[in-house]
Amino acid sequence: MLTILGPLAGEGAQLPLYSFRVPAGFPSPAADHIERRISLDELLDIRAPHMYLVRIEGDSMQGAGIFCGDLVAVDRSIEAEHGHIVIAAVNAEPVCKRLHKRGNEVILQSANRNFAPRYIMEGDELIIWGVVTFSVRAHEKA
């Protein structure tokens, strides 16, 4: 199950990008470490109008690092190829799966062993809505 949040707005707010990397803790982000200012649009390589956001529901893609509640950026301009994680509709039902192609066979594969692969059979309608390029996860308090 997916929740499509819609197209992205043009330009976002500019946030500081610090030049240091944080291995475990978080040192004081002193102003002299600011490398430049970037927007999340730039950081996630979001280029509207062919980009949109989807909230993932369910745990079938956990093995790919995509968890229930995550937000994914989807690019409609990328030609979906074998191995891409895609947002697709199978018989009008939206899914997030890894695309596998073997000859003429098309399989939508979960990244969780508890979910069987979805073989696209003759008579099934498969529409690829786009390729997942980034995911964003909220790290809430435990």
Side-chain angles (χ1 to χ4, degrees), residues 1-54:
M1 187 60 132
L2 308 168
T3 303
I4 297 176
L5 301 176
L8 302 173
E11 301 214 7
Q14 297 284 313
L15 301 173
L17 173 66
Y18 293 96
S19 61
F20 58 80
R21 296 183 186 257
V22 181
F26 191 80
S28 174
D32 59 337
H33 287 286
I34 293 177
E35 183 176 318
R36 62 186 174 114
R37 291 186 142 337
I38 63 169
S39 71
L40 287 178
D41 295 356
E42 180 184 352
L43 183 65
L44 299 180
D45 198 25
I46 296 171
R47 302 166 312 278
H50 57 276
M51 297 290 294
Y52 64 97
L53 299 175
V54 173

Side-chain angles (χ1 to χ4, degrees), residues 40-116:
L40 287 178
D41 295 356
E42 180 184 352
L43 183 65
L44 299 180
D45 198 25
I46 296 171
R47 302 166 312 278
H50 57 276
M51 297 290 294
Y52 64 97
L53 299 175
V54 173
R55 179 139 348 253
I56 301 298
E57 297 178 25
D59 56 1
S60 71
M61 294 304 290
Q62 286 181 349
I66 300 173
F67 294 86
C68 186
D70 283 359
L71 192 64
V72 296
V74 182
D75 190 330
R76 294 182 300 144
S77 72
I78 297 174
E79 180 82 25
E81 298 177 2
H82 174 81
H84 279 153
I85 296 174
V86 298
I87 301 298
V90 180
N91 301 325
E93 183 168 331
V95 295
C96 177
K97 303 290 180 200
R98 188 172 302 276
L99 179 66
H100 285 271
K101 294 180 179 180
R102 290 189 279 197
N104 292 333
E105 187 175 55
V106 176
I107 306 164
L108 295 177
Q109 182 74 47
S110 297
N112 181 331
R113 292 183 216 186
N114 295 325
F115 294 85

Side-chain angles (χ1 to χ4, degrees), residues 102-135:
R102 290 189 279 197
N104 292 333
E105 187 175 55
V106 176
I107 306 164
L108 295 177
Q109 182 74 47
S110 297
N112 181 331
R113 292 183 216 186
N114 295 325
F115 294 85
R118 174 59 162 96
Y119 290 82
I120 304 304
M121 309 302 285
E122 187 176 329
D124 281 338
E125 180 184 37
L126 172 65
I127 301 172
I128 304 293
W129 288 349
V131 175
V132 173
T133 55
F134 291 95
S135 63

